[in-house]
Amino acid sequence: MIAHSVFFYIFSLIAIVSAVMVTVSKNTVHSVFFLILDFISISCLFIMIGAEFLGMIMLIVYVGAVAVLFLFVVMMLNVAEQKGQWFSSRWDGGTHIPVGLLVSLIIFFELIIVIGGWKYKPDLLNSLSINISTEVTNTRSIGNVLYTDYILLFQISGMILLVAMIGAIVLTYRERAGVKRQSYFKQISRERDEGVDLVEAKRNKGVKIDA
Amino acid sequence: MDSYFSIFFTEVYKILFLLIPVLISVAMIVWLDRRVWAFVQKRRGPNVVGPFGLFQSLADALKYIFKEIIIPASSNKLVFVLAPVVTMTLALISWAVIPFDEDFVLADINVGILYLFAVSSLGVYGIIMGGWASNSKYPFLGAIRSAAQMVSYEVSIGVIIINVLLCVGSLNLSDIVMAQQNLWFVIPLFPMFVIFFISALAETNRPPFDLPEAEAELVAGYQTEYSGMMYAMFWLGEYANILLMCAMGAVLFLGGWLSPIDIFPFNAIPGPFWLIFKILFLFILFALVKATVPRYRYDQLMKLGWKIFLPFSLFYVVLTSSFLLYFDLLLGK
């Protein structure tokens, strides 16, 4: 168990430090790299408590896809090094601090409610109608719950994601004029007669093209 | 405390026993790639160093080691140095879950196939870090291209993996191989095998999808600013990834360590040899594609990934699952 707790503290330390570094580091691309490190250490924590499916999905979805898109956007926008952060010596008047404080207060109270629920109402966990058996792999037990008891929520979240995806496409799609498109079908179905025209050329007269 | 140390040393020994053959075979596979390529184009290929030029890769490696490593002055130095390390490490750690025989696997984890998929999807970071940290136009363009390409083709690889998993009912790679005892998945899922093969070409930036390093437009893509050993690490990582994709194809579709027919002269050959034969077969196919097919245009590449492979493999998921459901063949209930 010693090794287990040592690794637990190492991963948690990396997770917390990199989460702080996401907000602190001056280079936005570095922030995204720290975010990736954070995701990876959290998925390591998931694996350590035996939730290997969640840990791997976390790696695939967040690190393999979402963070790549973050990097894309940040690199493309080429955000210059952020100036006048509130922890640095230069002070920009602090207009964004009240909003940030409000958001973090709300999150803090939400966390207190959730953790307080665990702490002071221990039967909260038992009142759930899920039987978690330790014999089956957790991929299977997630599937057993997700596709039976919670199928409605699962489908609704799928629909929300689909709507969001279509919405993003509709918002960003622009029909631009003068874009040449290739149609394989048109190319292949061209007959010889359409492409080649045999002309009887007269001597010393030449051929008039574009008639 | 003693037991911790003994566990540590046995694990290190096992890891070395896996990684050193992988590294040597990566070096040999580079030679094989160049020989096949030359054979198709009626050239000789590397044939000078050692018998049949077998030591060419070692000579190349020696050259890379003694070359100077140049780090551009305007680069982001830490990320620049980390990028090849990330590529190489990710290419090597995924070998941990490949089963070479029954009970002959370094880490027999429950979610083996997800692990492989996760690690191969992380592979894009080496490229994107290298391209960005070089702080120069060609590497950056190469990295952006490569990231878009790898993310697109990962999607279709993921859907193909779902097809295989439906037939197996487990995420464990050994279970996937054992499920193919009677019938290799290449037969019922042949279209998926073809799409997997092409997506693997795109995922490893091999020709005809080697747009990230299209030499005519981008010099060498994300590797432009790299030199010496750091370039060699990118290169080794790339080939280790190619071998890994071949191994993945062999495990998912060609029955891993199983022999083609379960009768005497075939099943006397030990399992790891069968797996190696299958990996080599797939790799020679990779090399033949490289030698014969011209490079795709970028919009064609994207069109192939999103508009053809993704819908088709999704359709095949529906087909496979309805077939299995109708004939009541779903496993792992």
Side-chain angles (χ1 to χ4, degrees):
Chain A
M1 279 324 274
I2 297 171
H4 195 274
S5 38
V6 165
F7 278 113
F8 173 78
Y9 283 114
I10 289 174
F11 287 133
S12 339
L13 196 72
I14 295 173
I16 292 168
V17 168
S18 51
V20 171
M21 288 306 287
V22 172
T23 52
V24 169
S25 69
K26 291 194 170 181
N27 191 327
T28 16
V29 177
H30 287 181
S31 290
V32 182
F33 284 141
F34 279 115
L35 188 67
I36 293 161
L37 186 61
D38 199 22
F39 284 148
I40 291 175
S41 30
I42 287 169
S43 90
C44 290
L45 287 176
F46 268 130
I47 293 167
M48 279 187 69
I49 59 169
E52 68 255 7
F53 182 75
L54 276 183
M56 287 300 159
I57 290 294
M58 177 109 186
L59 271 187
I60 293 170
V61 174
Y62 285 97
V63 186
V66 174
V68 174
L69 295 181
F70 273 20
L71 264 186
F72 244 61
V73 172
V74 167
M75 284 177 177
M76 293 287 228
L77 289 179
N78 199 11
V79 188
E81 293 201 353
Q82 300 279 307
K83 288 187 182 107
Q85 277 144 324
W86 64 282
F87 45 82
S88 67
S89 53
R90 276 168 294 175
W91 183 256
D92 67 336
T95 47
H96 54 286
I97 290 176
V99 184
L101 277 180
L102 188 70
V103 171
S104 44
L105 265 179
I106 292 171
I107 294 175
F108 182 65
F109 278 114
E110 281 173 353
L111 281 177
I112 282 182
I113 291 166
V114 170
I115 295 168
W118 282 342
K119 180 88 180 160
Y120 294 106
K121 216 164 176 291
D123 52 329
L124 195 71
L125 273 179
N126 306 331
S127 66
L128 295 175
S129 60
I130 310 164
N131 289 320
I132 300 170
S133 113
T134 46
E135 278 113 55
V136 295
T137 60
N138 59 53
T139 315
R140 179 156 300 161
S141 38
I142 287 175
N144 279 341
V145 177
L146 197 62
Y147 296 117
T148 52
D149 296 351
Y150 295 97
I151 183 70
L152 189 65
L153 292 174
F154 180 72
Q155 296 229 316
I156 288 173
S157 52
M159 282 307 290
I160 291 172
L161 285 176
L162 184 70
V163 169
M165 195 166 79
I166 294 171
I169 293 171
V170 169
L171 283 176
T172 52
Y173 185 73
R174 241 174 319 186
E175 192 87 49
R176 266 170 296 185
V179 178
K180 283 181 182 164
R181 288 186 195 283
Q182 184 182 22
S183 160
Y184 302 128
F185 185 71
K186 247 181 171 174
Q187 280 185 348
I188 294 167
S189 59
R190 228 159 83 110
E191 293 289 323
R192 182 179 174 276
D193 301 337
E194 296 167 46
V196 183
D197 198 12
L198 280 181
V199 180
E200 201 77 37
K202 281 191 187 121
R203 218 172 157 223
N204 287 337
K205 284 274 172 68
V207 181
K208 202 177 183 189
I209 310 173
D210 299 332
Chain B
M1 218 53 208
D2 237 22
S3 64
Y4 279 132
F5 275 111
S6 67
I7 291 171
F8 182 73
F9 281 115
T10 44
E11 290 301 320
V12 167
Y13 170 73
K14 277 195 216 160
I15 291 169
L16 287 181
F17 188 71
L18 176 74
L19 282 191
I20 290 171
V22 166
L23 281 174
I24 293 172
S25 51
V26 165
M28 289 296 110
I29 221 87
V30 176
W31 169 82
L32 180 71
D33 190 28
R34 294 171 68 181
R35 285 297 286 217
V36 172
W37 196 9
F39 176 76
V40 174
Q41 298 176 344
K42 286 196 168 179
R43 292 183 286 112
R44 291 194 181 193
N47 66 346
V48 177
V49 192
F52 308 108
L54 263 173
F55 300 143
Q56 180 66 46
S57 304
L58 297 182
D60 284 346
L62 217 62
K63 184 189 78 173
Y64 282 126
I65 290 169
F66 288 110
K67 269 190 162 184
E68 187 190 352
I69 294 176
I70 300 167
I71 299 178
S74 64
S75 68
N76 193 317
K77 292 184 184 59
L78 183 66
V79 182
F80 188 82
V81 175
L82 268 178
V85 179
V86 167
T87 306
M88 182 88 179
T89 315
L90 287 173
L92 291 182
I93 59 169
S94 31
W95 281 92
V97 292
I98 298 287
F100 286 90
D101 205 343
E102 224 170 339
D103 305 322
F104 186 29
V105 47
L106 188 65
D108 193 15
I109 56 176
N110 280 334
V111 287
I113 189 72
L114 280 184
Y115 173 83
L116 265 187
F117 189 58
V119 172
S120 73
S121 69
L122 295 189
V124 66
Y125 283 110
I127 291 169
I128 208 169
M129 282 164 86
W132 176 77
S134 301
N135 198 6
S136 138
K137 288 188 189 72
Y138 292 129
F140 186 62
L141 285 173
I144 290 286
R145 274 187 179 187
S146 174
Q149 171 181 338
M150 287 172 84
V151 170
S152 319
Y153 278 85
E154 236 161 56
V155 179
S156 66
I157 288 189
V159 179
I160 292 163
I161 288 174
I162 292 174
N163 268 304
V164 174
L165 294 182
L166 278 172
C167 305
V168 181
S170 164
L171 295 169
N172 185 308
L173 284 171
S174 303
D175 289 348
I176 291 175
V177 174
M178 290 318 280
Q180 303 179 54
Q181 257 177 331
N182 299 320
L183 185 67
W184 290 1
F185 288 147
V186 67
I187 298 165
L189 300 174
F190 185 72
M192 288 300 102
F193 176 66
V194 175
I195 291 185
F196 176 83
F197 183 76
I198 299 171
S199 304
L201 287 175
E203 181 79 4
T204 51
N205 296 330
R206 284 280 290 189
F209 306 112
D210 59 340
L211 285 142
E213 47 201 272
E215 67 277 346
E217 316 150 31
L218 293 180
V219 190
Y222 59 93
Q223 303 166 337
T224 307
E225 303 287 346
Y226 283 88
S227 61
M229 203 53 213
M230 278 162 54
Y231 174 74
M233 278 172 84
F234 262 130
W235 194 61
L236 280 176
E238 208 171 283
Y239 272 89
N241 259 329
I242 292 165
L243 268 191
L244 180 83
M245 276 292 165
C246 295
M248 209 163 142
V251 167
L252 288 180
F253 292 102
L254 299 179
W257 69 77
L258 298 171
S259 65
I261 356 171
D262 202 14
I263 51 171
F264 169 64
F266 292 109
N267 58 19
I269 301 173
F273 285 98
W274 277 119
L275 185 67
I276 291 167
F277 284 148
K278 287 165 188 171
I279 293 175
L280 277 180
F281 169 73
L282 284 176
F283 184 78
I284 288 172
L285 280 185
F286 264 64
L288 286 177
V289 170
K290 177 181 182 175
T292 45
V293 186
R295 187 177 290 138
Y296 260 53
R297 218 171 49 207
Y298 197 70
D299 63 317
Q300 289 172 330
L301 171 89
M302 283 297 166
K303 192 173 181 180
L304 187 70
W306 288 107
K307 294 190 183 166
I308 299 172
F309 282 2
L310 183 61
F312 184 64
S313 42
L314 273 175
F315 164 73
Y316 218 83
V317 169
V318 176
L319 198 71
T320 313
S321 44
S322 39
F323 181 85
L324 291 174
L325 201 64
Y326 186 75
F327 291 100
D328 205 23
L329 292 167
L330 272 178
L331 292 164
K333 259 190 284 191

